[in-house]
Amino acid sequence: MRGARRIGTAVAAAAALLAAGCTQSTSSQGEPSHAANPAPPTSAASQTGIVALGESTTTAHGAWSLSVAPFTEAEASAGAQVPAGWLALRTKVTLTNTTGQIAVLPETALTVRYGQAGRAGLQFTGEGLAGLPKRQDGVKVAPGAAFTAEVGVAVPPDASGQQSTVTAETTEEGLAEADAVFFDGQLPGTVSGAAGEPSPAGTSGGAVVPLGTWAASGIRVSTITVGAAQANGRDASLELTVANNRTEPRRALGVALLFFTGQQLTQAGTATPELDYPDAPIAPGHSATQTVKFTVPAGAVPGPLTVEAVNPDGTRTTFQGTLS
């Protein structure tokens, strides 16, 4: 559950900055706005849990209506933590109280993923992009009123024009279990001419799967990037991508990795990758990618590397490639 979340990546640490504050663009006094006739939530979410950016859906177990506006380009103010060369984008998140009484705004966390592989964008705050409030702020919203927050998201240049998926998890006051909804759309810009990501449809059913290829189990382990030599060996990194081929959300990546070097399969380490928190959901029919860093003995480079991916049910998939 998100109430027990543990931030485990640099992206997640930066995303925590999102909780620094909020803006309510519908009122210059910073008060929640009142919508005389709130738009009814779309029914698409009842079938797949996914709606289009700009549409609304129910969340927080039916107590709130939530919408996320399509992304537009933004100006990153001085001090905003946007990596050099990345695109600064913004979106508007609106929560409408659909109960008949005053209610405390549910704690809301967003995850923005782009491209077929589902890599994560970096959330940031800045002038006019204060983000969503913290749970302890205890923002109250009147019946039928809408609370709006402006959220900043940064993505690398090659994400321009790609598909985007927003995961919104709301946790009501006094509850630990979050309610997740998903929004699909497209990022501003034009898709570059670079080749797209390998599709889960093009899988390998062999006993050993080449690195960079999808396995029939819906897992892909990328080729390895090897860094400079350190005192304890060579730094290395890869990307783990997990496809959710079900019609309901998948909780967490749920895959442990074991690394073996050389022909003798000498174990070099293990890793249990997590998204921005341990049980972060993956939308139905979508994928999520996480970068994994590990260390290999200096003498293992160059040479073969075997990666064993272990699912929660104990089934294993073997990937093989080279360190160079």
Side-chain angles (χ1 to χ4, degrees):
M1 68 188 74
R2 199 179 59 81
R5 64 191 276 186
R6 174 167 62 84
I7 303 300
T9 66
V11 169
L17 295 174
L18 179 65
C22 65
T23 62
Q24 299 170 2
S25 62
T26 51
S27 171
S28 59
Q29 287 77 30
E31 295 294 330
S33 66
H34 290 264
N37 296 292
T42 177
S43 61
S46 64
Q47 301 172 12
T48 64
I50 304 174
V51 298
L53 289 175
E55 296 183 354
S56 61
T57 185
T58 56
T59 190
H61 304 96
W64 295 80
S65 172
L66 172 66
S67 67
V68 179
F71 290 95
T72 59
E73 295 183 1
E75 290 285 341
S77 58
Q81 296 190 0
V82 176
W86 281 36
L87 307 175
L89 306 175
R90 68 190 301 154
T91 186
K92 183 182 296 185
V93 180
T94 302
L95 282 150
T96 302
N97 179 3
T98 58
T99 70
Q101 59 189 20
I102 295 173
V104 175
L105 192 75
E107 182 183 20
T108 304
L110 298 184
T111 302
V112 179
R113 298 192 175 278
Y114 64 88
Q116 191 173 49
R119 295 183 176 89
L122 175 66
Q123 297 177 42
F124 68 91
T125 57
E127 184 177 351
L129 295 169
L132 288 154
K134 300 177 182 179
R135 177 196 291 263
Q136 57 265 35
D137 292 338
V139 177
K140 296 181 178 65
V141 182
F147 179 95
T148 299
E150 301 280 351
V151 177
V153 178
V155 295
D158 61 2
S160 178
Q162 293 196 41
Q163 70 178 46
S164 64
T165 301
V166 178
T167 302
E169 286 201 280
T170 54
T171 307
E172 295 178 88
E173 184 185 28
L175 299 180
E177 188 68 27
D179 190 14
V181 291
F182 307 96
F183 299 83
D184 270 354
Q186 188 173 8
L187 298 179
T190 304
V191 178
S192 67
E197 296 287 344
S199 169
T203 59
S204 170
V208 177
V209 181
L211 290 175
T213 303
W214 280 98
S217 57
I219 299 172
R220 175 178 175 262
V221 175
S222 73
T223 55
I224 312 298
T225 299
V226 179
Q230 305 293 334
N232 60 340
R234 297 284 294 269
D235 292 335
S237 65
L238 57 79
E239 286 187 330
L240 170 67
T241 304
V242 175
N244 178 14
N245 296 319
R246 299 178 296 185
T247 57
E248 59 186 26
R250 172 178 176 140
R251 284 287 174 181
L253 291 172
V255 176
L257 300 178
L258 288 73
F259 306 106
F260 302 89
T261 59
Q263 299 294 344
Q264 291 73 34
L265 298 178
T266 303
Q267 186 164 342
T270 63
T272 305
E274 295 175 352
L275 300 175
D276 46 342
Y277 47 95
D279 61 351
I282 303 173
H286 290 62
S287 300
T289 293
Q290 181 63 40
T291 298
V292 181
K293 296 182 179 180
F294 57 104
T295 303
V296 295
V301 183
L305 178 75
T306 302
V307 181
E308 192 172 51
V310 185
N311 286 304
D313 62 2
T315 57
R316 299 170 180 248
T317 305
T318 303
F319 296 86
Q320 202 164 69
T322 58
L323 296 167
S324 59

